[in-house]
Amino acid sequence: MYHKDVLDNGVTIVCEEVPAVHSIAIGYWVKTGSRLEEEDEAGISHLIEHLLFKGTKKRSAKEIAEAIEEVGGQLNAFTGKEYTCYYVRVLAEHLPLAVDVLTDMLYNSLFREEDLVREKNVVLEEISMYEDTPDEIIHDYFSKTIWDGHPLGRPVIGTNESLSRIDREKVLSYYQRHYCPSNLVVALAGNFQYQEAVDLIGVALSSLRPGSIETKITAPQARSGLKSFYRDLEQVQICMGVPALSLYNDKIYALQILNNILGGGASSRLFQQIREERALVYAIYSYYLAFLDSGLFTIYGGTNPANCQQVLDLSWEEINKIMKSGVTEKELSRAKTQVKGSLLIAQESVLQRMHRLGRSELVHQRFITIEEVLERIAEVNAADIQALTRELFAPENVTVTVLGPMSEGQIKHPSVLCRT
C-alpha cells in the first residue's frame, strides 16, 4: 500500500493507504533546517516556519487557522536541524482542503514586514521561555558544548543576537533558495485513493517551477570535557554524553536497544538505580539523536547540588557494568519487546505513519517498512550491545554539561573516575 511519485518539477510524493481509518495526515517536508543556516542567519528556518502561518494572497492568518479547525482538523509545523515539516490531519473527505491550505501557506505567503517584526518578538519570547526552563535549555547547552562552533551545536530557534540580524531580505533569499520543488517531499497516510490523491497534489503544485539547491554539510568535530553554566537554581541539571551514530549506520538498531536498557523508561537501569533505589532524582533518562553524518547519545538528570557527583558516578557505573559484563538475555528480550510494542502502537496513528514516510524518504529515499525495522531489531544480540557501549563510551569521548549553582572545580569528569 506504499506508493512513490516524482512530479515533473521535482516534488516527491510518498503515500501509504490505510483504508481502515477515517482520517488522513499530510505533511509538506522541506529539506532545510538550522543545520543549513549560516551563523548570521541562525534561527531563520524556524522564523520562516512562523511566517508561513501569518497570511497569504488568499487567506489571513485567522482564516488559515479557521479553515482547518472548523472541520475538526489539526494544523501545525515544526523545525528541526535538518528538515522542516508543515502538516494537517483531517477527516479523509477534507484532503482537498488540507492540500489547498498547505500549498497556499508554503507558496503564497506574503512575508510582510510587520509580520516579520511581530514574529521575531514571538520567537524572542520563546527563547526567554526556554531560558526559564532549565530542564529544557540544558540540552541546548550540551549540544553547544560538544559541537561548539558547528551549526548542529546551535539552538534551532536561534539566539537574541542572530535574530536581530535577520531582515526581510535575508528571509526571502533563504526561502527562495530552500523552498524549491526538489527540496519538497509530500507525505500522505490514511484513507484515500492513491491516484486521486496524487493527481490532487500534482495539480496543486504544478505551478512550481523546477529548481534545486546544492547543499554542503560538514560533519561536526566533537569536543569532550566538562563545562558548567552557573545559575542560581534549586537543582542542578546534568547532561552527560558522547558522539554517537548517524542515520545511515547499521548499528542504529543496537543503539536503540541500548538506550532502552540504559535509560529508556521506568524499568531502565538508570531509573531503577538512581531514582527508585536511591531517590536522588525525580527525572533521569537517556536518549539519542541521529543526523545525516553524526549523532549524540545523552544521559539527563536533575538533582540537588549535593547529589550531583553521585548521580554522575552512578550513571557512569551503569555504563561501566554494560562495558564489562554486558546485558542479560532477560533485559535484551524485554527491551526488544518494548521497542516492538512502541513501533506497532505508533502504527495506529496516521500522523505517526506520515512522519515515518516523510523522514524515510528524506533520509533514505525509500520507505523502510515496520517489518524491516522489527527484523533488524530482532537480530541485535547482547554482544552487539556490549561492543557498541565500549565503542561509544571511551572516557576521552565523554562530555559533561552542568547547569546550576556549581562550578567546574566541584565536579569530577568520568575520565577521572576511571583512574580512581
Side-chain angles (χ1 to χ4, degrees):
M1 303 295 281
Y2 166 74
H3 310 277
K4 177 177 175 178
D5 287 84
V6 180
L7 302 180
D8 291 342
N9 58 13
V11 175
T12 300
I13 304 172
V14 287
C15 303
E16 184 181 11
E17 294 180 68
V18 189
V21 300
H22 296 288
S23 62
I24 58 97
I26 181 169
Y28 281 29
W29 296 74
V30 185
K31 289 184 280 188
T32 192
S34 60
R35 178 173 194 173
L36 298 176
E37 300 165 351
E38 299 296 334
E39 189 171 0
D40 65 347
E41 58 187 17
I44 198 168
S45 299
H46 177 253
L47 184 58
I48 288 173
E49 177 212 312
H50 276 238
L51 289 169
L52 295 192
F53 284 81
K54 295 298 107 182
T56 71
K57 300 171 185 176
K58 184 176 178 179
R59 295 178 174 93
S60 67
K62 184 180 180 183
E63 288 169 337
I64 289 172
E66 287 178 342
I68 300 300
E69 289 186 357
E70 68 185 11
V71 298
Q74 175 190 9
L75 167 66
N76 212 331
F78 60 86
T79 305
K81 292 184 183 285
E82 295 180 328
Y83 50 75
T84 306
C85 177
Y86 304 82
Y87 63 91
V88 168
R89 184 182 180 187
V90 288
L91 292 175
E93 63 196 80
H94 300 302
L95 175 59
L97 173 66
V99 171
D100 184 54
V101 170
L102 286 172
T103 304
D104 192 30
M105 288 171 55
L106 263 75
Y107 294 104
N108 291 314
S109 282
L110 298 174
F111 296 103
R112 292 172 295 218
E113 182 68 37
E114 58 268 32
D115 291 330
L116 175 60
V117 172
R118 187 179 299 114
E119 288 310 302
K120 283 172 70 171
N121 287 332
V122 170
V123 176
L124 289 173
E125 291 299 323
E126 190 176 354
I127 292 171
S128 297
M129 179 185 71
Y130 279 117
E131 287 289 347
D132 286 343
T133 315
D135 58 333
E136 294 283 346
I137 198 67
I138 180 63
H139 303 281
D140 280 343
Y141 287 179
F142 178 72
S143 296
K144 176 176 170 53
T145 301
I146 199 167
W147 283 335
D148 190 26
H150 191 276
L152 284 177
R154 297 197 294 256
V156 171
I157 61 177
T159 64
N160 293 357
E161 293 74 25
S162 66
L163 286 173
S164 69
R165 295 192 291 264
I166 297 175
D167 56 21
R168 187 170 184 270
E169 184 179 350
K170 277 187 179 180
V171 167
L172 290 174
S173 175
Y174 189 91
Y175 166 82
Q176 289 161 0
R177 293 197 313 273
H178 292 273
Y179 280 67
C180 56
S182 66
N183 246 22
L184 178 64
V185 171
V186 179
L188 173 64
N191 189 345
F192 59 89
Q193 294 297 318
Y194 155 66
Q195 194 57 56
E196 290 180 10
V198 171
D199 291 344
L200 175 70
I201 296 166
V203 169
L205 297 172
S206 61
S207 62
L208 299 183
R209 295 181 179 179
S212 61
I213 180 174
E214 286 189 20
T215 56
K216 295 181 180 179
I217 59 173
T218 57
Q221 298 299 310
R223 299 186 181 186
S224 60
L226 190 155
K227 191 170 181 64
S228 175
F229 297 86
Y230 187 89
R231 191 179 290 186
D232 188 14
L233 301 171
E234 292 297 320
Q235 273 199 324
V236 171
Q237 307 297 320
I238 305 165
C239 277
M240 177 172 71
V242 292
L245 309 178
S246 79
L247 288 163
Y248 299 112
N249 195 309
D250 285 341
K251 297 176 187 175
I252 198 81
Y253 301 100
L255 185 66
Q256 195 170 356
I257 300 299
L258 170 61
N259 177 61
N260 185 280
I261 292 171
L262 186 61
S267 61
S268 67
R269 290 190 177 200
L270 292 174
F271 193 94
Q272 287 296 313
Q273 289 297 318
I274 300 177
R275 172 174 160 153
E276 297 297 279
E277 294 292 328
R278 295 175 175 83
L280 294 174
V281 298
Y282 174 75
I284 188 161
Y285 55 83
S286 65
Y287 64 92
Y288 68 91
L289 302 173
F291 302 107
L292 295 174
D293 56 4
S294 51
L296 284 181
F297 188 97
T298 308
I299 294 169
Y300 161 81
T303 188
N304 186 288
N307 299 328
C308 178
Q309 190 63 54
Q310 191 177 4
V311 170
L312 276 170
D313 293 354
L314 289 169
S315 299
W316 185 250
E317 184 179 313
E318 291 304 319
I319 295 166
N320 251 319
K321 286 178 183 177
I322 297 176
M323 287 196 285
K324 292 179 179 179
S325 306
V327 299
T328 67
E329 287 301 322
K330 183 178 179 180
E331 282 181 307
L332 182 62
S333 176
R334 185 176 64 235
K336 288 182 178 182
T337 301
Q338 288 177 348
V339 171
K340 177 181 177 180
S342 296
L343 287 169
L344 292 177
I345 289 171
Q347 285 293 96
E348 297 183 0
S349 163
V350 292
L351 192 58
Q352 290 300 316
R353 283 176 178 260
M354 183 277 290
H355 282 187
R356 287 194 68 249
L357 277 172
R359 289 193 298 264
S360 186
E361 178 59 32
L362 285 174
V363 175
H364 300 286
Q365 289 77 55
R366 71 180 182 91
F367 182 49
I368 299 178
T369 67
I370 282 290
E371 290 75 20
E372 181 179 345
V373 173
L374 293 178
E375 182 179 332
R376 297 299 301 274
I377 287 172
E379 293 171 352
V380 175
N381 58 46
D384 296 330
I385 302 297
Q386 185 176 24
L388 181 60
T389 310
R390 288 174 173 173
E391 175 187 335
L392 296 179
F393 282 93
E396 63 271 16
N397 292 340
V398 177
T399 296
V400 176
T401 302
V402 172
L403 172 64
M406 296 189 73
S407 65
E408 291 166 14
Q410 296 174 282
I411 310 162
K412 292 181 181 178
H413 187 272
S415 62
V416 175
L417 302 177
C418 289
R419 298 196 295 267
T420 59

